[in-house]
Every structure is written in C-alpha cells, then in structure tokens.
Amino acid sequence: MKFDMRTGVACLVLVITVCILQQVSAKTVRGTLSSVKAAETYGQYITKFCFHGENASVAYELNSTGKDGQLLFYLDEQWNVASTVSNCWEKLKLAKVSHELQDLTGNQTLAHFIHPRIWHIVYADTFTCQNTGLPIKDPITLSYQLKLLNPDSLGNPTDHFSDEETGDRKSVV
C-alpha cells in the first residue's frame, strides 16, 4: 500500500481534532446537584480528579445557590473509608476540605502535595443527613459546572487534565 501525502495530512488533522475534543471533555464536569440524591447516598458523588502542584483548583458555576450547600473534597484513601461508612455525619466529617457554595461562582484551591493525589468531590447540603423518612420539603436542585485545573509549567491553574491523564505530555524542568 502506497502512502499518499493527502491521506497523511487527513490522518494528522483527524488525530489533532480528536485530541482537542478529548481535552475539552476532560476539563469540565456538568450536571445537577440534588438534595434528594445527596440524602439518598449521604452526599452526592460528583467526580474524582488527580491534582498536583501548589495551585491545583476547582472552579465552579451554579445556576442558583442552595441552603447550606457545599462541595466536600476527599483524598482517595479517605474516600475509600468514607464510601463504606454507614453513618451520614461520620462520612461527611471524613472530608479533608469543604467549600460552602454561597455564590454563583467560586474557586477552591487544594493543598500542595509532593506527589499527585486523587481527590473525590461530593455535594452535600442541609438535607443530606436528615434521615426523617419523610420526603424533603422544597428540595434543592442546582445545575453546575466544575472546571478541574492543575497548574501548568508556570504554576498557573490552567491545565485541564487530571495528572494521570497527562502521560508523556508533562515535562520536567
């Protein structure tokens, strides 16, 4: 089979397009936060991400604010324990970091660790641990968007890839 220059260029364009599309989908998480879902599971699981560096952060946007809503951040080893805990309050207390969702937009910077660390992100609100057996009166439902950011080579939180996704694209200076 003979290699044609046009075919090679077309393949290269296709590969670049796929890489760009993967970058876009890898950086943002969208969905709905729900009091009902958070109460059913003692915190609504959102996602996990491998953060590194001093300026790793989560930027969020909400369509509204809810009653005492918060994002809880668990290190992987804490999440492994928390996900098996049957007491709601104990599960929430195991979070390493909590960030109250008081504004429509915000940012949470995560602690610097020498090695990359996997963090699990969970939503909880005032209804999460109210196990009354009755339906929640006026449950909170929020649309959200999270941008999960690792620092780039200059230390700015602009790299949208989880640390385990970057592979050989990272360079050591």
Side-chain angles (χ1 to χ4, degrees), residues 37-112:
K37 180 68 174 168
E40 288 172 356
T41 57
Y42 297 156
Q44 180 181 348
Y45 188 86
I46 300 171
T47 193
K48 72 177 181 176
F49 195 75
C50 189
F51 291 99
H52 72 272
E54 291 186 32
N55 293 322
S57 67
V58 174
Y60 69 85
E61 293 179 27
L62 305 171
N63 68 332
S64 178
T65 56
K67 189 174 182 183
D68 299 327
Q70 59 183 329
L71 294 177
L72 302 172
F73 298 86
Y74 297 82
L75 285 167
D76 197 41
E77 55 273 10
Q78 292 168 316
W79 181 249
N80 290 335
V81 173
S83 62
T84 64
V85 171
S86 60
N87 179 291
C88 183
W89 295 109
E90 292 301 316
K91 179 178 181 178
L92 299 185
K93 280 194 239 178
L94 289 171
K96 180 84 170 163
V97 176
S98 66
H99 180 87
E100 291 189 30
L101 300 174
Q102 297 177 340
D103 299 311
L104 295 177
T105 62
N107 188 346
Q108 175 65 48
T109 301
L110 298 171
H112 173 69

Side-chain angles (χ1 to χ4, degrees), residues 3-19:
F3 180 74
D4 176 74
M5 183 59 115
R6 281 187 266 170
T7 304
V9 171
C11 286
L12 180 60
V13 169
L14 179 62
V15 168
I16 291 171
T17 302
V18 168
C19 288

